[in-house]
Short mmCIF file of all heavy atoms in Angstrom, two decimals:
data_model
loop_
_atom_site.label_atom_id
_atom_site.label_comp_id
_atom_site.label_asym_id
_atom_site.label_seq_id
_atom_site.Cartn_x
_atom_site.Cartn_y
_atom_site.Cartn_z
N MET B 291 88.10 20.27 30.70
CA MET B 291 88.37 20.00 32.11
C MET B 291 87.09 20.18 32.89
O MET B 291 86.42 21.14 32.65
CB MET B 291 89.43 20.94 32.51
CG MET B 291 89.83 20.63 33.97
SD MET B 291 91.07 21.84 34.67
CE MET B 291 92.44 21.64 33.52
N ALA B 292 86.82 19.46 33.86
CA ALA B 292 85.72 19.51 34.74
C ALA B 292 85.74 20.73 35.56
O ALA B 292 86.83 21.17 35.77
CB ALA B 292 85.65 18.33 35.70
N VAL B 293 84.62 21.44 35.85
CA VAL B 293 84.54 22.63 36.61
C VAL B 293 84.37 22.16 38.17
O VAL B 293 83.46 21.38 38.47
CB VAL B 293 83.40 23.39 36.12
CG1 VAL B 293 83.27 24.71 37.08
CG2 VAL B 293 83.63 23.78 34.82
N SER B 294 85.15 22.71 39.03
CA SER B 294 84.97 22.45 40.42
C SER B 294 83.64 22.92 40.92
O SER B 294 83.30 24.08 40.55
CB SER B 294 86.13 22.99 41.21
OG SER B 294 87.40 22.54 40.83
N THR B 295 83.00 22.19 41.85
CA THR B 295 81.67 22.48 42.16
C THR B 295 81.64 22.46 43.73
O THR B 295 82.10 21.46 44.34
CB THR B 295 80.50 21.62 41.61
OG1 THR B 295 80.71 21.64 40.25
CG2 THR B 295 79.17 22.04 42.08
N CYS B 296 81.00 23.49 44.33
CA CYS B 296 80.93 23.45 45.88
C CYS B 296 79.94 22.34 46.18
O CYS B 296 78.90 22.24 45.69
CB CYS B 296 80.39 24.80 46.36
SG CYS B 296 80.10 24.83 48.15
N ILE B 297 80.35 21.62 47.30
CA ILE B 297 79.48 20.42 47.63
C ILE B 297 78.17 20.93 48.48
O ILE B 297 77.29 20.24 48.53
CB ILE B 297 80.18 19.38 48.59
CG1 ILE B 297 80.82 20.11 49.76
CG2 ILE B 297 81.18 18.73 47.77
CD1 ILE B 297 81.34 19.04 50.84
N LYS B 298 78.16 22.14 48.89
CA LYS B 298 77.10 22.64 49.67
C LYS B 298 76.14 23.48 48.82
O LYS B 298 74.99 23.16 48.88
CB LYS B 298 77.58 23.60 50.85
CG LYS B 298 76.55 23.98 51.84
CD LYS B 298 77.20 24.69 53.00
CE LYS B 298 75.98 25.24 53.89
NZ LYS B 298 76.67 26.09 54.93
N CYS B 299 76.63 24.38 48.04
CA CYS B 299 75.67 25.21 47.26
C CYS B 299 75.77 25.17 45.79
O CYS B 299 75.13 25.84 45.04
CB CYS B 299 75.96 26.73 47.77
SG CYS B 299 77.37 27.36 47.00
N ALA B 300 76.63 24.26 45.38
CA ALA B 300 76.83 23.98 43.98
C ALA B 300 77.39 25.19 43.11
O ALA B 300 77.32 25.21 41.99
CB ALA B 300 75.50 23.54 43.21
N GLY B 301 78.06 26.14 43.95
CA GLY B 301 78.73 27.15 43.30
C GLY B 301 79.93 26.77 42.55
O GLY B 301 80.55 25.62 42.82
N HIS B 302 80.44 27.63 41.71
CA HIS B 302 81.61 27.32 40.82
C HIS B 302 82.81 28.26 41.07
O HIS B 302 83.79 28.28 40.27
CB HIS B 302 81.28 27.30 39.33
CG HIS B 302 80.23 26.25 39.05
ND1 HIS B 302 80.55 24.84 39.16
CD2 HIS B 302 79.03 26.32 38.58
CE1 HIS B 302 79.36 24.26 38.82
NE2 HIS B 302 78.54 24.95 38.46
N SER B 303 82.66 29.22 41.98
CA SER B 303 83.68 30.19 42.17
C SER B 303 84.33 30.04 43.59
O SER B 303 83.61 29.89 44.57
CB SER B 303 83.27 31.53 41.93
OG SER B 303 82.20 31.81 42.77
N PHE B 304 85.67 30.10 43.68
CA PHE B 304 86.42 29.86 44.90
C PHE B 304 87.30 30.99 45.17
O PHE B 304 87.74 31.66 44.32
CB PHE B 304 87.10 28.56 44.84
CG PHE B 304 86.12 27.42 44.57
CD1 PHE B 304 85.88 26.93 43.30
CD2 PHE B 304 85.50 26.74 45.59
CE1 PHE B 304 84.88 25.98 43.10
CE2 PHE B 304 84.52 25.72 45.40
CZ PHE B 304 84.30 25.28 44.10
N GLU B 305 87.68 31.06 46.37
CA GLU B 305 88.63 32.21 46.77
C GLU B 305 89.71 31.71 47.89
O GLU B 305 89.36 30.65 48.49
CB GLU B 305 87.85 33.38 47.33
CG GLU B 305 86.98 33.08 48.51
CD GLU B 305 86.06 34.20 48.90
OE1 GLU B 305 85.91 35.20 48.12
OE2 GLU B 305 85.42 33.98 49.97
N ILE B 306 90.74 32.31 47.98
CA ILE B 306 91.65 32.08 49.15
C ILE B 306 91.32 33.01 50.39
O ILE B 306 91.19 34.16 50.09
CB ILE B 306 93.01 32.20 48.59
CG1 ILE B 306 93.35 31.29 47.53
CG2 ILE B 306 94.07 32.04 49.84
CD1 ILE B 306 94.63 31.52 46.81
N ALA B 307 91.31 32.34 51.48
CA ALA B 307 91.00 33.10 52.74
C ALA B 307 91.93 32.76 53.93
O ALA B 307 92.53 31.58 53.82
CB ALA B 307 89.55 32.77 53.22
N LEU B 308 92.38 33.61 54.64
CA LEU B 308 93.13 33.33 55.84
C LEU B 308 92.36 33.03 57.04
O LEU B 308 91.40 33.78 57.26
CB LEU B 308 94.16 34.58 56.05
CG LEU B 308 95.26 34.83 55.02
CD1 LEU B 308 95.97 36.05 55.46
CD2 LEU B 308 96.15 33.52 54.93
N PHE B 309 92.65 32.15 57.78
CA PHE B 309 92.06 31.86 59.14
C PHE B 309 93.05 31.38 60.03
O PHE B 309 94.06 30.82 59.71
CB PHE B 309 90.87 30.91 59.01
CG PHE B 309 91.20 29.51 59.05
CD1 PHE B 309 90.84 28.63 60.21
CD2 PHE B 309 91.83 28.84 58.02
CE1 PHE B 309 91.09 27.35 60.20
CE2 PHE B 309 92.11 27.50 58.06
CZ PHE B 309 91.86 26.78 59.19
N THR B 310 92.71 31.63 61.33
CA THR B 310 93.73 31.18 62.55
C THR B 310 92.94 30.10 63.20
O THR B 310 91.88 30.29 63.95
CB THR B 310 94.08 32.45 63.40
OG1 THR B 310 94.57 33.42 62.63
CG2 THR B 310 95.11 31.90 64.38
N PRO B 311 93.43 28.76 63.16
CA PRO B 311 92.79 27.78 64.01
C PRO B 311 92.95 28.09 65.44
O PRO B 311 93.79 28.66 66.03
CB PRO B 311 93.65 26.52 63.52
CG PRO B 311 94.38 26.89 62.37
CD PRO B 311 94.60 28.36 62.45
N ILE B 312 91.93 27.63 66.23
CA ILE B 312 91.84 27.87 67.80
C ILE B 312 93.13 27.21 68.29
O ILE B 312 93.54 26.03 68.11
CB ILE B 312 90.59 27.12 68.30
CG1 ILE B 312 89.35 27.92 67.90
CG2 ILE B 312 90.68 27.18 69.84
CD1 ILE B 312 88.05 27.23 68.25
N GLY B 313 93.87 27.95 69.19
CA GLY B 313 95.07 27.50 69.75
C GLY B 313 96.28 27.66 68.94
O GLY B 313 97.35 27.38 69.45
N GLU B 314 96.12 28.29 67.82
CA GLU B 314 97.26 28.42 67.02
C GLU B 314 97.61 29.96 66.79
O GLU B 314 96.62 30.81 66.88
CB GLU B 314 97.06 27.88 65.58
CG GLU B 314 96.92 26.36 65.51
CD GLU B 314 98.25 25.55 65.62
OE1 GLU B 314 99.31 26.13 65.17
OE2 GLU B 314 98.25 24.50 66.08
N SER B 315 98.86 30.30 66.53
CA SER B 315 99.14 31.80 66.39
C SER B 315 99.34 31.89 64.94
O SER B 315 99.34 33.09 64.43
CB SER B 315 100.48 32.20 67.23
OG SER B 315 101.55 31.36 66.79
N ARG B 316 99.57 30.95 64.12
CA ARG B 316 99.99 31.07 62.70
C ARG B 316 98.72 31.02 61.84
O ARG B 316 97.73 30.14 62.07
CB ARG B 316 100.80 29.80 62.38
CG ARG B 316 101.65 30.02 61.14
CD ARG B 316 102.61 28.83 61.18
NE ARG B 316 102.01 27.56 60.79
CZ ARG B 316 102.56 26.84 59.83
NH1 ARG B 316 103.59 27.11 59.17
NH2 ARG B 316 101.91 25.70 59.56
N LYS B 317 98.59 31.88 60.88
CA LYS B 317 97.50 31.81 59.92
C LYS B 317 97.73 30.73 58.98
O LYS B 317 98.71 30.43 58.47
CB LYS B 317 97.29 33.09 59.29
CG LYS B 317 96.80 34.28 60.15
CD LYS B 317 96.35 35.50 59.26
CE LYS B 317 95.92 36.64 60.06
NZ LYS B 317 95.25 36.51 61.35
N LEU B 318 96.59 30.10 58.44
CA LEU B 318 96.55 29.17 57.37
C LEU B 318 95.70 29.71 56.20
O LEU B 318 94.70 30.50 56.43
CB LEU B 318 95.91 27.82 57.87
CG LEU B 318 96.67 26.96 58.82
CD1 LEU B 318 95.95 25.73 59.12
CD2 LEU B 318 98.14 26.56 58.31
N SER B 319 96.19 29.38 55.06
CA SER B 319 95.42 29.74 53.95
C SER B 319 94.46 28.55 53.54
O SER B 319 94.86 27.44 53.42
CB SER B 319 96.30 30.00 52.71
OG SER B 319 97.17 31.08 53.04
N ILE B 320 93.24 28.84 53.30
CA ILE B 320 92.29 27.92 52.77
C ILE B 320 91.63 28.29 51.48
O ILE B 320 91.51 29.49 51.13
CB ILE B 320 91.23 27.53 53.82
CG1 ILE B 320 90.35 28.83 54.11
CG2 ILE B 320 91.71 27.05 55.07
CD1 ILE B 320 89.10 28.55 54.77
N VAL B 321 91.25 27.36 50.72
CA VAL B 321 90.46 27.59 49.52
C VAL B 321 89.06 27.40 49.90
O VAL B 321 88.66 26.36 50.42
CB VAL B 321 90.88 26.79 48.26
CG1 VAL B 321 89.97 27.02 47.03
CG2 VAL B 321 92.29 27.04 48.09
N GLN B 322 88.14 28.49 49.65
CA GLN B 322 86.76 28.21 50.11
C GLN B 322 85.85 28.74 48.89
O GLN B 322 86.21 29.46 48.11
CB GLN B 322 86.50 29.00 51.39
CG GLN B 322 86.52 30.60 51.15
CD GLN B 322 86.28 31.29 52.40
OE1 GLN B 322 86.43 30.76 53.58
NE2 GLN B 322 85.84 32.56 52.36
N CYS B 323 84.61 28.20 48.94
CA CYS B 323 83.69 28.67 48.06
C CYS B 323 83.37 30.12 48.24
O CYS B 323 83.18 30.57 49.50
CB CYS B 323 82.24 27.91 48.33
SG CYS B 323 81.00 28.46 47.36
N SER B 324 83.40 30.88 47.17
CA SER B 324 83.17 32.41 47.43
C SER B 324 81.65 32.69 47.56
O SER B 324 81.49 33.83 47.98
CB SER B 324 83.71 33.15 46.16
OG SER B 324 83.00 32.68 45.08
N SER B 325 80.91 31.81 47.45
CA SER B 325 79.45 32.07 47.75
C SER B 325 79.09 31.90 49.18
O SER B 325 78.46 32.56 49.75
CB SER B 325 78.57 31.30 46.80
OG SER B 325 78.77 31.59 45.49
N CYS B 326 79.33 30.57 49.68
CA CYS B 326 78.89 30.16 50.93
C CYS B 326 80.09 30.02 51.95
O CYS B 326 79.78 29.83 53.12
CB CYS B 326 78.07 28.82 50.84
SG CYS B 326 79.04 27.42 50.58
N GLY B 327 81.36 30.01 51.47
CA GLY B 327 82.41 29.97 52.46
C GLY B 327 82.86 28.33 52.90
O GLY B 327 83.68 28.35 53.72
N THR B 328 82.11 27.54 52.15
CA THR B 328 82.55 26.14 52.64
C THR B 328 84.04 25.83 52.12
O THR B 328 84.42 26.13 50.97
CB THR B 328 81.54 25.18 51.87
OG1 THR B 328 80.32 25.34 52.36
CG2 THR B 328 81.95 23.76 52.12
N PRO B 329 84.74 25.43 53.21
CA PRO B 329 86.16 25.19 52.80
C PRO B 329 86.38 23.89 51.77
O PRO B 329 85.70 22.94 51.98
CB PRO B 329 86.88 24.85 54.14
CG PRO B 329 85.77 24.89 55.20
CD PRO B 329 84.59 25.21 54.60
N ILE B 330 87.32 24.16 50.88
CA ILE B 330 87.55 23.03 49.87
C ILE B 330 88.76 22.47 50.17
O ILE B 330 89.03 21.21 50.04
CB ILE B 330 87.50 23.70 48.43
CG1 ILE B 330 86.26 24.50 48.18
CG2 ILE B 330 87.83 22.67 47.51
CD1 ILE B 330 85.02 23.76 48.32
N GLY B 331 89.86 23.13 50.56
CA GLY B 331 91.09 22.63 50.87
C GLY B 331 91.93 23.64 51.59
O GLY B 331 91.65 24.81 51.76
N THR B 332 93.18 23.17 52.07
CA THR B 332 94.10 24.17 52.67
C THR B 332 95.30 24.26 51.82
O THR B 332 95.64 23.40 51.03
CB THR B 332 94.51 23.60 54.15
OG1 THR B 332 95.21 22.34 53.90
CG2 THR B 332 93.41 23.49 55.01
N MET B 333 96.03 25.41 52.04
CA MET B 333 97.12 25.59 51.32
C MET B 333 98.34 25.87 52.23
O MET B 333 98.17 26.35 53.36
CB MET B 333 97.05 26.89 50.41
CG MET B 333 96.06 26.64 49.33
SD MET B 333 95.73 28.30 48.59
CE MET B 333 97.24 28.42 47.67
N ASP B 334 99.61 25.55 51.94
CA ASP B 334 100.74 25.93 52.60
C ASP B 334 100.85 27.43 52.81
O ASP B 334 100.78 28.08 51.80
CB ASP B 334 102.00 25.37 52.03
CG ASP B 334 103.12 25.31 53.04
OD1 ASP B 334 103.33 26.34 53.77
OD2 ASP B 334 103.96 24.37 53.01
N PRO B 335 100.89 27.90 54.04
CA PRO B 335 100.71 29.41 54.11
C PRO B 335 101.79 30.20 53.45
O PRO B 335 101.68 31.26 52.93
CB PRO B 335 100.73 29.69 55.68
CG PRO B 335 101.21 28.52 56.26
CD PRO B 335 100.93 27.32 55.35
N ALA B 336 103.04 29.75 53.52
CA ALA B 336 104.14 30.58 52.96
C ALA B 336 105.33 29.69 52.45
O ALA B 336 106.41 29.60 52.94
CB ALA B 336 104.72 31.45 53.98
N PRO B 337 105.01 28.78 51.40
CA PRO B 337 106.13 27.94 50.87
C PRO B 337 107.33 28.74 50.37
O PRO B 337 108.45 28.30 50.36
CB PRO B 337 105.42 27.34 49.68
CG PRO B 337 104.28 28.19 49.33
CD PRO B 337 103.84 28.90 50.56
N GLY B 338 107.11 30.05 49.95
CA GLY B 338 108.28 30.84 49.48
C GLY B 338 109.25 31.12 50.65
O GLY B 338 110.43 30.95 50.45
N LEU B 339 108.60 31.44 51.82
CA LEU B 339 109.47 31.64 52.88
C LEU B 339 110.31 30.47 53.42
O LEU B 339 111.44 30.52 53.68
CB LEU B 339 108.72 32.27 54.03
CG LEU B 339 108.10 33.76 53.85
CD1 LEU B 339 107.33 34.06 54.99
CD2 LEU B 339 109.35 34.61 53.68
N GLN B 340 109.46 29.33 53.51
CA GLN B 340 110.27 28.10 53.92
C GLN B 340 111.32 27.71 52.83
O GLN B 340 112.35 27.25 53.29
CB GLN B 340 109.09 27.03 53.99
CG GLN B 340 108.22 27.21 55.18
CD GLN B 340 107.06 26.29 55.19
OE1 GLN B 340 106.82 25.55 54.37
NE2 GLN B 340 106.32 26.36 56.39
N LEU B 341 111.04 27.83 51.59
CA LEU B 341 111.99 27.57 50.56
C LEU B 341 113.35 28.47 50.84
O LEU B 341 114.37 27.90 50.73
CB LEU B 341 111.49 27.67 49.11
CG LEU B 341 110.70 26.57 48.60
CD1 LEU B 341 110.09 26.85 47.24
CD2 LEU B 341 111.66 25.23 48.52
N GLN B 342 113.00 29.62 51.00
CA GLN B 342 114.14 30.56 51.24
C GLN B 342 115.06 30.23 52.44
O GLN B 342 116.24 30.17 52.31
CB GLN B 342 113.51 32.00 51.39
CG GLN B 342 114.61 33.14 51.33
CD GLN B 342 115.27 33.12 49.98
OE1 GLN B 342 114.59 32.84 48.95
NE2 GLN B 342 116.59 33.38 49.93
N ALA B 343 114.46 29.79 53.49
CA ALA B 343 115.13 29.38 54.71
C ALA B 343 115.96 28.14 54.38
O ALA B 343 117.13 27.95 54.78
CB ALA B 343 114.20 29.00 55.89
N LEU B 344 115.38 27.18 53.57
CA LEU B 344 116.11 26.03 53.25
C LEU B 344 117.36 26.39 52.32
O LEU B 344 118.41 25.80 52.40
CB LEU B 344 115.12 25.10 52.46
CG LEU B 344 114.41 24.21 53.40
CD1 LEU B 344 113.34 23.26 52.45
CD2 LEU B 344 115.23 23.19 54.10
N LYS B 345 117.15 27.30 51.43
CA LYS B 345 118.12 27.71 50.49
C LYS B 345 119.40 28.25 51.34
O LYS B 345 120.61 27.98 51.04
CB LYS B 345 117.74 28.74 49.49
CG LYS B 345 117.00 28.26 48.37
CD LYS B 345 116.57 29.37 47.41
CE LYS B 345 115.69 28.90 46.31
NZ LYS B 345 115.22 29.88 45.46
N ILE B 346 119.15 29.07 52.38
CA ILE B 346 120.15 29.60 53.18
C ILE B 346 120.85 28.43 53.87
O ILE B 346 122.10 28.49 54.01
CB ILE B 346 119.53 30.71 54.21
CG1 ILE B 346 119.02 31.91 53.41
CG2 ILE B 346 120.52 31.06 55.27
CD1 ILE B 346 118.11 32.87 54.20
N GLN B 347 120.12 27.59 54.47
CA GLN B 347 120.74 26.38 55.14
C GLN B 347 121.72 25.57 54.27
O GLN B 347 122.80 25.20 54.54
CB GLN B 347 119.71 25.53 55.76
CG GLN B 347 118.99 26.15 56.95
CD GLN B 347 117.95 25.19 57.62
OE1 GLN B 347 117.70 24.22 57.15
NE2 GLN B 347 117.31 25.75 58.67
N VAL B 348 121.20 25.34 53.01
CA VAL B 348 121.99 24.61 52.03
C VAL B 348 123.25 25.36 51.62
O VAL B 348 124.26 24.69 51.56
CB VAL B 348 121.15 24.21 50.83
CG1 VAL B 348 122.02 23.64 49.71
CG2 VAL B 348 119.95 23.22 51.17
N ALA B 349 123.13 26.69 51.53
CA ALA B 349 124.33 27.46 51.25
C ALA B 349 125.26 27.46 52.31
O ALA B 349 126.42 27.30 52.07
CB ALA B 349 123.81 28.95 50.93
N ALA B 350 124.82 27.41 53.56
CA ALA B 350 125.67 27.23 54.73
C ALA B 350 126.45 26.01 54.73
O ALA B 350 127.67 25.96 55.01
CB ALA B 350 125.01 27.62 55.99
N ILE B 351 125.79 24.95 54.42
CA ILE B 351 126.24 23.60 54.43
C ILE B 351 127.32 23.52 53.28
O ILE B 351 128.42 22.93 53.48
CB ILE B 351 125.21 22.48 54.29
CG1 ILE B 351 124.41 22.36 55.46
CG2 ILE B 351 125.93 21.20 53.92
CD1 ILE B 351 123.07 21.60 55.33
N ASP B 352 126.99 24.16 52.18
CA ASP B 352 127.93 24.02 51.01
C ASP B 352 129.23 24.72 51.33
O ASP B 352 130.36 24.35 51.09
CB ASP B 352 127.21 24.68 49.88
CG ASP B 352 128.11 24.51 48.61
OD1 ASP B 352 128.39 23.40 48.29
OD2 ASP B 352 128.20 25.61 47.80
N GLU B 353 129.10 25.94 52.03
CA GLU B 353 130.33 26.61 52.35
C GLU B 353 131.17 25.92 53.34
O GLU B 353 132.40 25.83 53.22
CB GLU B 353 129.93 28.00 53.06
CG GLU B 353 131.01 28.91 53.24
CD GLU B 353 130.64 30.05 54.24
OE1 GLU B 353 129.46 30.47 54.35
OE2 GLU B 353 131.56 30.51 54.89
N ARG B 354 130.56 25.19 54.28
CA ARG B 354 131.35 24.32 55.34
C ARG B 354 132.02 23.28 54.58
O ARG B 354 133.14 22.89 54.88
CB ARG B 354 130.40 23.94 56.34
CG ARG B 354 130.16 25.04 57.47
CD ARG B 354 129.27 24.50 58.61
NE ARG B 354 128.37 25.52 58.96
CZ ARG B 354 127.04 25.32 59.28
NH1 ARG B 354 126.56 24.18 59.23
NH2 ARG B 354 126.34 26.38 59.68
N LEU B 355 131.29 22.66 53.62
CA LEU B 355 132.02 21.55 52.88
C LEU B 355 133.10 21.95 52.09
O LEU B 355 134.17 21.27 52.01
CB LEU B 355 130.82 20.89 51.94
CG LEU B 355 129.99 19.88 52.53
CD1 LEU B 355 129.01 19.32 51.42
CD2 LEU B 355 130.70 18.63 52.97
N SER B 356 133.05 23.12 51.55
CA SER B 356 134.18 23.69 50.73
C SER B 356 135.31 23.99 51.65
O SER B 356 136.50 23.61 51.34
CB SER B 356 133.80 25.09 50.20
OG SER B 356 132.79 24.91 49.17
N ARG B 357 135.06 24.52 52.94
CA ARG B 357 136.22 24.54 53.93
C ARG B 357 136.72 23.39 54.28
O ARG B 357 138.00 23.18 54.36
CB ARG B 357 135.66 25.32 55.12
CG ARG B 357 135.67 26.90 54.95
CD ARG B 357 135.46 27.48 56.31
NE ARG B 357 134.12 28.07 56.34
CZ ARG B 357 133.37 28.34 57.41
NH1 ARG B 357 133.94 28.06 58.63
NH2 ARG B 357 132.27 28.88 57.44
N ILE B 358 135.97 22.34 54.46
CA ILE B 358 136.50 20.91 54.82
C ILE B 358 137.38 20.46 53.74
O ILE B 358 138.54 19.95 53.82
CB ILE B 358 135.43 19.89 55.10
CG1 ILE B 358 134.67 20.30 56.49
CG2 ILE B 358 135.86 18.48 55.19
CD1 ILE B 358 133.42 19.65 56.77
N ALA B 359 136.92 20.58 52.48
CA ALA B 359 137.63 20.14 51.26
C ALA B 359 138.93 20.89 51.18
O ALA B 359 140.05 20.21 50.86
CB ALA B 359 136.86 20.36 49.96
N GLN B 360 138.95 22.20 51.40
CA GLN B 360 140.17 22.96 51.40
C GLN B 360 141.11 22.45 52.36
O GLN B 360 142.37 22.38 52.22
CB GLN B 360 139.76 24.39 51.60
CG GLN B 360 140.89 25.39 51.34
CD GLN B 360 141.36 25.45 49.99
OE1 GLN B 360 140.51 25.46 49.10
NE2 GLN B 360 142.67 25.48 49.71
N ALA B 361 140.63 22.20 53.58
CA ALA B 361 141.52 21.81 54.78
C ALA B 361 142.12 20.45 54.33
O ALA B 361 143.24 20.13 54.70
CB ALA B 361 140.74 21.66 56.07
N LEU B 362 141.40 19.59 53.78
CA LEU B 362 141.91 18.23 53.38
C LEU B 362 143.03 18.33 52.37
O LEU B 362 144.00 17.57 52.34
CB LEU B 362 140.86 17.31 52.89
CG LEU B 362 139.88 16.84 53.96
CD1 LEU B 362 138.75 16.23 53.35
CD2 LEU B 362 140.53 15.86 54.92
N GLN B 363 142.97 19.44 51.58
CA GLN B 363 143.96 19.59 50.43
C GLN B 363 145.36 20.10 51.01
O GLN B 363 146.32 19.89 50.38
CB GLN B 363 143.43 20.46 49.35
CG GLN B 363 142.47 19.72 48.44
CD GLN B 363 141.75 20.75 47.43
OE1 GLN B 363 142.10 21.92 47.39
NE2 GLN B 363 141.00 20.16 46.58
N ASP B 364 145.17 20.90 52.08
CA ASP B 364 146.30 21.55 52.61
C ASP B 364 147.35 20.49 53.48
O ASP B 364 146.86 19.49 53.78
CB ASP B 364 145.94 22.65 53.62
CG ASP B 364 145.31 23.79 52.82
OD1 ASP B 364 145.49 23.81 51.65
OD2 ASP B 364 144.64 24.59 53.56
ZN1 LIG Y 455 79.19 27.01 48.26
#
């Protein structure tokens, strides 16, 4: 597999850093060169939390569907 290379300093090691864009309150995660700090890409800050929120919503919809199905049978 090819080794990722920083476009600025030709370094080969990268790290995840948090930063807050101007005008935003939410932090974003970026992958940056660990030598010179050149950003390589961004990451979703908290996919786990968003997935958890979706799971709760789906469970609520499922419960309502069950109640509707039950009412239709009665
Ligand atoms: Zn670099």
Side-chain angles (χ1 to χ4, degrees):
M291 186 186 298
V293 178
S294 298
T295 304
C296 174
I297 57 169
K298 186 175 176 189
C299 75
H302 295 296
S303 56
F304 301 91
E305 62 192 4
I306 294 172
L308 290 174
F309 83 108
T310 307
I312 292 173
E314 296 280 331
S315 58
R316 198 169 77 128
K317 287 190 183 334
L318 289 178
S319 300
I320 59 168
V321 178
Q322 67 181 24
C323 173
S324 62
S325 299
C326 72
T328 296
I330 305 302
T332 60
M333 300 171 63
D334 195 321
L339 287 177
Q340 291 172 351
L341 274 177
Q342 193 59 35
L344 276 177
K345 280 182 187 173
I346 291 170
Q347 288 180 357
V348 169
I351 291 168
D352 190 48
E353 190 196 330
R354 283 181 215 139
L355 276 177
S356 294
R357 269 192 256 155
I358 290 169
Q360 188 67 42
L362 286 174
Q363 284 174 359
D364 291 343

